Amino acid sequence: MATQSSEKIAFAGLGAMGFGMASHLLGLGHHMTGFDVYEPSLAKFQALGAKTASSPREAAKESNIFICMVANSNQAESVLFDSETGAVQGI
């Protein structure tokens, strides 16, 4: 299924659930940039044609949608609000 318009989406958390979700969005034609702390997940996502980032902030910079799919609230807080790498800081 093709989308009528593609979005620039940043996706943090390419684990058991997030990888499938992000891959599906990529398959729909969206421009995806992924971030994960686990390098093999980034390599696997990049092999599908997505961009990868070294931090949530880098992933979010040129995206108009940010999805955070991590395991717990501590991880979500870090992804979003870390003073050096958080997606929300500095935007």
Side-chain angles (χ1 to χ4, degrees), residues 29-50:
H30 296 292
H31 303 281
M32 302 295 295
T33 302
F35 168 76
D36 198 276
V37 295
Y38 188 59
E39 290 290 331
S41 291
L42 290 175
K44 187 175 166 184
F45 196 49
Q46 191 171 36
L48 294 177

Side-chain angles (χ1 to χ4, degrees), residues 1-6 24-30:
M1 173 197 309
T3 59
Q4 291 178 339
S5 66
S6 61
H24 182 74
L25 291 169
L26 182 65
L28 291 175
H30 296 292

Side-chain angles (χ1 to χ4, degrees), residues 4-83:
Q4 291 178 339
S5 66
S6 61
E7 298 285 350
K8 292 182 179 178
I9 302 172
F11 203 104
L14 300 172
M17 286 181 27
F19 190 86
M21 294 168 70
S23 298
H24 182 74
L25 291 169
L26 182 65
L28 291 175
H30 296 292
H31 303 281
M32 302 295 295
T33 302
F35 168 76
D36 198 276
V37 295
Y38 188 59
E39 290 290 331
S41 291
L42 290 175
K44 187 175 166 184
F45 196 49
Q46 191 171 36
L48 294 177
K51 291 182 181 180
T52 58
S54 61
S55 71
R57 183 174 297 167
E58 181 185 331
K61 266 187 180 171
E62 296 184 20
S63 300
N64 52 359
I65 296 172
F66 187 87
I67 299 171
C68 180
M69 183 56 59
V70 295
N72 59 51
S73 62
N74 288 337
Q75 290 177 353
E77 186 173 338
S78 177
V79 164
L80 296 172
F81 304 116
D82 182 84
S83 63

